[in-house]
């Protein structure tokens, strides 16, 4: 799409949510900018924060140099947050702040504000409405992410796509 609205893709594991996110990016006005995919289940909160926001030298044990985070590296492109339903409520708040304000700090540098203009696309196979009711997912983050909702059906419900997928792979 030509707008910069945040997108939430929903579907079972293996339905191609990342391919859909990449297609949305490729058809956006910033398709020449980076598309960065992050699997939220693969990282702890601490590592996820470091990967997304970056850090300065000495921010934590092992931080021998500074590092830009994915939000900064994406420029005006797209950051794809796969399995967003897996992140902790504590980290959800940090992510919400960045999506709302377009600003964050690298870990270890509370003074320097980094400003970004990144399009966020998130995906999940979780029932986020149920997760909100049980307190496992923040309602405000849900509404921030769910500006455009894309339901991605399972392949068993779209058999006509199989030949195109076989050609691609």
């Amino acid at each position: 799409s030509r707008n910069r609205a945040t997108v939430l893709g929903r579907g079972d594991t293996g339905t191609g949510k990342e391919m859909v996110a990449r297609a949305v990016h490729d058809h956006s006005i910033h398709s020449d900018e980076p598309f960065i995919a992050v699997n939220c289940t693969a990282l702890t909160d601490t590592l996820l924060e470091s990967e997304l926001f970056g850090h300065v030298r000495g921010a934590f044990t092992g931080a021998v140099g500074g590092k830009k985070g994915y939000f900064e590296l994406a420029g005006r492109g797209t950051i794809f947050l796969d399995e967003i339903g897996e992140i902790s409520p504590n980290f959800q708040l940090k992510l919400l702040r960045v999506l709302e304000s377009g600003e964050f700090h690298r870990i270890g540098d509370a003074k320097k504000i980094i400003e970004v203009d990144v399009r966020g696309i998130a995906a999940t196979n979780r029932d986020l409405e149920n997760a909100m009711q049980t307190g496992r997912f923040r309602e405000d983050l849900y509404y921030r992410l769910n500006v455009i909702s894309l339901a991605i059906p399972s392949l068993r419900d779209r058999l006509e796509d199989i030949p195109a997928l076989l050609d691609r792979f």
Side-chain angles (χ1 to χ4, degrees):
S1 117
R2 291 305 206 187
N3 70 41
R4 303 272 293 160
T6 306
V7 177
L8 179 61
R10 304 171 85 144
D12 292 338
T13 300
T15 56
K17 295 182 291 290
E18 183 173 343
M19 287 180 68
V20 170
R22 195 172 289 275
V24 169
H25 169 76
D26 289 346
H27 290 87
S28 74
I29 59 174
H30 295 292
S31 59
D32 57 332
E33 294 282 337
F35 173 90
I36 298 177
V38 181
N39 182 337
C40 296
T41 60
L43 305 168
T44 64
D45 279 5
T46 304
L47 285 172
L48 192 58
E49 185 173 6
S50 176
E51 291 296 315
L52 292 179
F53 308 140
H55 61 266
V56 297
R57 182 175 181 225
F60 50 84
T61 303
V64 293
K67 178 183 168 190
K68 289 183 178 180
Y70 292 145
F71 270 99
E72 192 173 353
L73 293 171
R76 292 179 53 87
T78 301
I79 189 158
F80 173 60
L81 302 168
D82 197 13
E83 300 307 345
I84 194 73
E86 303 299 323
I87 63 174
S88 72
N90 181 46
F91 192 76
Q92 290 171 30
L93 180 59
K94 293 176 182 180
L95 182 59
L96 176 65
R97 287 183 182 144
V98 174
L99 293 173
E100 285 181 340
S101 69
E103 299 178 346
F104 63 93
H105 300 277
R106 288 190 191 126
I107 298 173
D109 186 357
K111 293 180 183 172
K112 183 177 180 187
I113 295 173
I114 309 290
E115 293 183 14
V116 293
D117 183 19
V118 174
R119 180 184 206 167
I121 300 179
T124 187
N125 62 5
R126 295 256 174 169
D127 179 347
L128 293 184
E129 290 81 6
N130 183 46
M132 284 188 301
Q133 290 176 352
T134 59
R136 291 188 328 260
F137 202 83
R138 294 182 59 93
E139 187 173 350
D140 46 4
L141 179 58
Y142 172 81
Y143 288 111
R144 171 61 64 180
L145 293 171
N146 198 35
V147 175
I148 297 174
S149 184
L150 294 177
I152 304 159
S154 296
L155 190 55
R156 68 181 167 270
D157 296 328
R158 47 188 179 109
L159 298 175
E160 66 279 2
D161 289 351
I162 292 176
L165 290 170
L166 288 173
D167 287 343
R168 174 157 170 87
F169 297 111

